[in-house]
Amino acid sequence: MNAIHVSLEQLGWTDARVREFEPHAAEGVVPGRVSLEHNHVFRVLTESGEQLAEVAGRLKHLAETRRGLPVVGDWVALRLDPLGARSQIVHVLTRSTVFSRKAAGRETEEQLIAANLDTVFVVFGLDKPVNREAIERYLVVARASGAAPVVVLNKRDLGVDFDAARVEAEEVTGGSPVVAVSAKSGEGMPALAAWLAPGRTLTVIGPSGVGKSSLVNALVGNEVLPTGEVRAWDARGRHTSVHRQLVVRAAGGLLIDTPGMRELQLWDTNAVADAFLDVAELAAACRFRDCSHDREPGCAVKAAVDAGAIEPRRYASFIKLQAEQAETERKQMGRADLLSKRESRVRTRALRAHQKAHGKKGTR
Ligand code: GDP
Ligand code: ZN
């Protein structure tokens, strides 16, 4: 393995993690941070270099869901192989934050994308007018991960009034910072330094074409610590070169850039809805199945807001999102579908009336 000179602190090791790791240290394992996953083989950065590792059988067995298995950005306890073969990941440390989404087409299976992110750069391009709706949505998703969002308005070299755009964006960010930069010319980039301190981990999300790749290149460039080329294995066992999904900047900070993160396009995933899974769960307890969570009696969502369990801001976003989804549905549905839907609604009502008369609770 390559010898790399990275301290655990540079990798994001904290006092809380030191304490959590103590009992494991006694078992003769070392801490490490997952930098890449490829076909169930992991690259793990440790104080003594990058290790090739796999999940120990016992951990695989104990992990009830995907949540129990390592993902890029995770801190793990590693049992090094004395003969230099694959190390074993025996434990995954508590995650401070986690980016996840619902696996496509599944109701409940959660797909983890990355863990232990401190900051999410939500990128937009100044070549287009400020889209507050889009900013709000991305912020919801970023915050759902637990990480702190920073809105980055890129392409300020194009000559637009970026200060005005910044002020406009700030109106919807609820206190999250907005920074105007140019990945191309480097203007404004020093303002991002605050989130690139040693041991701090960030990722970059946003619509395509806004300059995420350019920004990543500008931030990481050739500055990546010399950890050597990563070799991975494709399904046929051939060697292929792959990019690390977690990179350590020589100048400080870590950047997570996984395909899952890149593909996080809010418009074709349920990422926004996923960010409200807890609210949706509550909604199931509302007295009325078709509760709009507005003024209906027996609304579990409203009750949670009143009790302070849901932030008023989040509640407002949820209501807005619901209205938008209904609107999208209406638009997508052809006229024929609309008609048949109306028909089926009439039928459902009749069924409900019938069930009510017979003392049963109606279904949606
Ligand atoms: P991504 O899809 O978000 O990863 O965006 P890219 O990094 O691929 O950039 C999309 C396009 O925007 C490319 O043509 C880039 O050259 C251009 N671009 C990226 N950053 C800047 C910038 O700061 N200024 C200008 N003028 N163009 C940029
Ligand atoms: Zn309700």
Side-chain angles (χ1 to χ4, degrees):
M1 285 301 124
N2 299 292
I4 53 163
H5 309 286
V6 187
S7 69
L8 288 178
E9 286 72 25
Q10 275 176 292
L11 290 173
W13 196 231
T14 57
D15 288 346
R17 291 188 174 114
V18 171
R19 280 193 297 278
E20 188 183 352
F21 195 75
E22 253 163 34
H24 300 288
E27 294 164 12
V29 294
V30 300
R33 195 155 185 207
V34 175
S35 63
L36 176 76
E37 196 219 321
H38 190 82
N39 292 342
H40 305 291
V41 181
F42 297 81
R43 286 270 164 175
V44 182
L45 291 163
T46 74
E47 223 166 9
S48 58
E50 195 169 49
Q51 306 289 332
L52 209 53
E54 58 195 16
V55 177
R58 204 175 110 80
L59 176 57
K60 232 182 267 174
H61 187 73
L62 284 175
E64 281 170 14
T65 65
R66 299 277 295 275
R67 276 221 160 213
L69 296 173
V71 64
V72 170
D74 260 330
W75 278 99
V76 297
L78 209 60
R79 187 180 305 288
L80 301 178
D81 187 285
L83 300 175
R86 273 180 205 173
S87 304
Q88 303 276 309
I89 297 173
V90 297
H91 185 72
V92 179
L93 270 66
T94 306
R95 298 172 176 125
S96 57
T97 67
V98 60
F99 242 99
S100 65
R101 68 174 176 205
K102 216 166 66 181
R106 305 263 186 122
E107 272 307 312
T108 50
E109 203 185 338
E110 186 186 26
Q111 192 182 357
L112 298 193
I113 302 175
N116 299 318
L117 289 145
D118 299 296
T119 313
V120 181
F121 282 173
V122 182
V123 188
F124 291 91
L126 285 162
D127 49 343
K128 290 193 182 143
V130 172
N131 181 343
R132 300 184 196 212
E133 206 91 294
I135 293 176
E136 281 186 320
R137 286 171 172 225
Y138 272 98
L139 287 183
V140 164
V141 172
R143 289 191 183 117
S145 74
V150 174
V151 173
V152 177
L153 302 177
N154 187 34
K155 312 195 187 185
R156 75 176 235 189
D157 57 287
L158 291 177
V160 293
D161 185 352
F162 60 83
D163 266 327
R166 191 171 45 73
V167 169
E168 209 183 326
E170 273 168 357
E171 279 167 22
V172 294
T173 60
S176 291
V178 182
V179 182
V181 304
S182 167
K184 200 171 181 176
S185 72
E187 290 166 78
M189 292 291 284
L192 299 180
W195 297 283
L196 291 160
R200 305 285 293 172
T201 308
L202 70 89
T203 192
V204 173
I205 64 172
S208 61
V210 296
K212 294 185 297 296
S213 314
S214 310
L215 195 66
V216 167
N217 287 340
L219 290 173
V220 178
N222 308 319
E223 292 183 278
V224 186
L225 286 176
T227 52
E229 181 158 290
V230 174
R231 308 286 271 167
W233 303 264
D234 67 14
R236 295 201 183 93
R238 291 175 307 203
H239 281 216
T240 49
S241 282
V242 292
H243 289 289
R244 265 189 205 74
Q245 297 164 349
L246 175 143
V247 294
V248 189
R249 285 175 83 244
L254 301 109
L255 209 132
I256 289 183
D257 184 24
T258 70
M261 211 62 96
R262 285 266 172 114
E263 288 153 16
L264 196 72
Q265 297 291 336
L266 300 197
W267 320 109
D268 53 37
T269 71
N270 286 319
V272 177
D274 288 358
F276 288 108
L277 278 182
D278 55 333
V279 186
E281 233 163 68
L282 271 175
C286 292
R287 185 181 305 163
F288 299 108
R289 296 289 175 125
D290 57 355
C291 183
S292 66
H293 321 300
D294 184 15
R295 264 179 279 264
E296 288 90 340
C299 173
V301 176
K302 251 313 204 334
V305 177
D306 292 340
I310 298 176
E311 283 172 50
R313 258 196 89 85
R314 254 188 112 224
Y315 167 73
S317 305
F318 175 71
I319 295 299
K320 199 162 163 189
L321 173 75
Q322 241 190 352
E324 272 170 28
Q325 278 180 337
E327 180 62 27
T328 312
E329 238 170 69
R330 263 195 297 279
K331 275 186 193 153
Q332 283 171 350
M333 263 193 296
R335 203 181 134 69
D337 286 342
L338 252 179
L339 285 176
S340 76
K341 182 119 193 203
R342 206 172 290 153
E343 235 170 69
S344 86
R345 210 176 289 142
V346 171
R347 246 182 268 124
T348 309
R349 272 205 207 111
L351 181 68
R352 275 210 195 124
H354 173 83
Q355 283 171 330
K356 205 170 173 188
H358 294 79
K360 278 182 223 145
K361 196 171 178 187
T363 51
R364 217 186 310 206

